[in-house]
């Protein structure tokens, strides 16, 4: 009778431990899936943000600034503010304001100092490095 009780208890413990391990693994899988979804959403927002800056510059240089890219840039910025922390979103927001101002001046034919364009471009590269770091990609030293 004692061997039967030990066998039943051993079986029940095996079932409980196996169930607990399955729950733990399922929880880990959900966490990994959420993290993957967040990284993909960030990657898409960061790409759209950078693409919009480039397209906005193209519009400004061509003198055909219809500001459609500004709208896309602001939409991407709104997503970044939701998805990323302040250490990423604040410099990105500051860059949006600088880019919009500089591109408006370029499109209007105003004389824009080369140093100012270089400064905006330098800040764009800094934001790119922040995006890479946020995505866990290798950044340049």
């Amino acid at each position: 009778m004692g061997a039967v009780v030990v066998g039943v208890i051993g079986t029940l413990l095996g079932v409980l431990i196996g169930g607990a391990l399955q729950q733990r693994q399922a929880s880990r899988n959900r966490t990994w899936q959420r993290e993957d979804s967040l990284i993909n959403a960030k990657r898409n927002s960061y790409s759209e943000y950078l693409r919009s800056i480039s397209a906005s510059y193209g519009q400004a240089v061509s003198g055909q600034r219809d500001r459609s890219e500004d709208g896309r840039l602001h939409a991407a910025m709104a997503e970044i503010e939701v998805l990323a922390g302040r250490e990423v979103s604040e410099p990105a927001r500051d860059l949006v304001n600088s880019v919009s101002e500089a591109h408006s001046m370029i499109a209007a034919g105003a004389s824009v100092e080369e140093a100012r364009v270089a400064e905006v471009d330098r800040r764009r590269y800094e934001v790119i490095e922040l995006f890479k770091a946020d995505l866990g990609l290798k950044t340049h030293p």
Side-chain angles (χ1 to χ4, degrees):
M1 180 81 164
V4 172
V5 171
V6 170
V8 169
I9 291 174
T11 301
L12 289 175
L13 283 175
V15 169
L16 289 174
I17 292 171
L21 290 174
Q22 283 182 333
Q23 288 295 325
R24 184 174 176 194
Q25 186 61 39
S27 176
R28 281 184 176 175
N29 286 341
R30 284 190 299 275
T31 300
W32 292 333
Q33 288 173 347
R34 277 194 302 271
E35 289 171 0
D36 285 347
S37 293
L38 177 60
I39 286 172
N40 286 335
K42 284 181 178 183
R43 184 179 295 120
N44 290 337
S45 295
Y46 296 164
S47 295
E48 179 62 18
Y49 173 92
L50 295 170
R51 190 210 57 77
S52 295
I53 288 175
S54 296
S56 175
Y57 179 74
Q59 285 180 345
V61 170
S62 71
Q64 298 180 3
R65 185 140 164 83
D66 62 12
R67 306 194 61 92
S68 62
E69 292 305 328
D70 285 355
R72 289 184 184 95
L73 179 57
H74 285 285
M77 187 62 237
E79 288 180 15
I80 290 169
E81 287 179 327
V82 170
L83 298 172
R86 284 188 174 160
E87 64 279 355
V88 173
S89 65
E90 287 179 356
R93 170 61 70 190
D94 291 341
L95 180 59
V96 167
N97 297 331
S98 297
V99 162
S100 294
E101 184 180 310
H103 291 180
S104 292
M105 291 172 65
I106 291 169
S111 175
V112 180
E113 297 174 15
E114 191 173 314
R116 175 156 184 181
V117 173
E119 173 63 17
V120 171
D121 200 40
R122 182 193 61 76
R123 289 177 54 207
R124 182 178 65 88
Y125 281 113
E126 288 175 356
V127 168
I128 289 170
E129 291 300 313
L130 287 173
F131 289 168
K132 287 180 179 181
D134 192 40
L135 294 172
L137 302 173
K138 184 176 179 180
T139 60
H140 296 15

